[in-house]
Amino acid sequence: YDSVKRAILDNTKLKDNSLTHCLSSACAGLVGAVLGTPADVVKARVMNQPTDVHGRGILYRNSFDCLSQTVKGEGFMALYKGFLPCWLRMAPWSLTFWLSFEQIRKFFGAKAW
């Protein structure tokens, strides 16, 4: 968030205001979704796989096995199934958190990094 905010302030004519905070927040949410979606896909597949009578997964031995089978069988982009819903889920949280953070920082007189 802070890196994007600094880049926006340094490279555009935008001021340190709510628009800049919203743009920075959206980028922070995007990065979170880009980094988190593959883990969510693998976790969901491992947890939803059928199990044998002993409760062991039939399709995947572990998360790394699931990751490699998914990429080999469906391609790298299969790790991003559900990306848009993930990002849309993160957007309200990210926006609320970072806008609140900025207002609290402003209220207490704290300076940005």
Side-chain angles (χ1 to χ4, degrees):
Y1 170 83
D2 281 328
S3 298
V4 173
K5 181 180 162 189
R6 177 59 32 215
I8 289 170
L9 293 173
D10 289 346
N11 297 303
T12 69
K13 294 180 182 181
L14 293 174
K15 303 291 183 210
D16 190 2
N17 57 27
S18 293
L19 176 60
T20 302
H21 303 158
C22 287
L23 292 172
S24 302
S25 172
C27 288
L30 177 65
V31 169
V34 166
L35 296 177
T37 299
D40 285 345
V41 168
V42 169
K43 179 188 70 135
R45 288 178 181 221
V46 168
M47 291 178 70
N48 291 318
Q49 70 179 315
T51 57
D52 63 14
V53 294
H54 301 289
R56 290 186 292 250
I58 295 173
L59 302 175
Y60 312 111
R61 289 187 307 270
N62 54 46
S63 297
F64 293 110
D65 183 46
C66 177
L67 176 72
S68 74
Q69 283 190 46
T70 300
V71 172
K72 285 178 189 173
E74 300 173 51
F76 180 77
M77 292 310 291
L79 297 175
Y80 287 93
K81 288 183 176 180
F83 171 79
L84 188 59
C86 179
W87 189 26
L88 294 175
R89 184 188 76 226
M90 288 181 158
W93 179 91
S94 183
L95 185 64
T96 302
F97 176 83
W98 290 113
L99 287 175
S100 299
F101 173 78
E102 288 291 348
Q103 292 304 310
I104 292 167
R105 180 163 45 188
K106 184 179 176 181
F107 178 78
F108 286 107
K111 300 290 181 197
W113 299 104

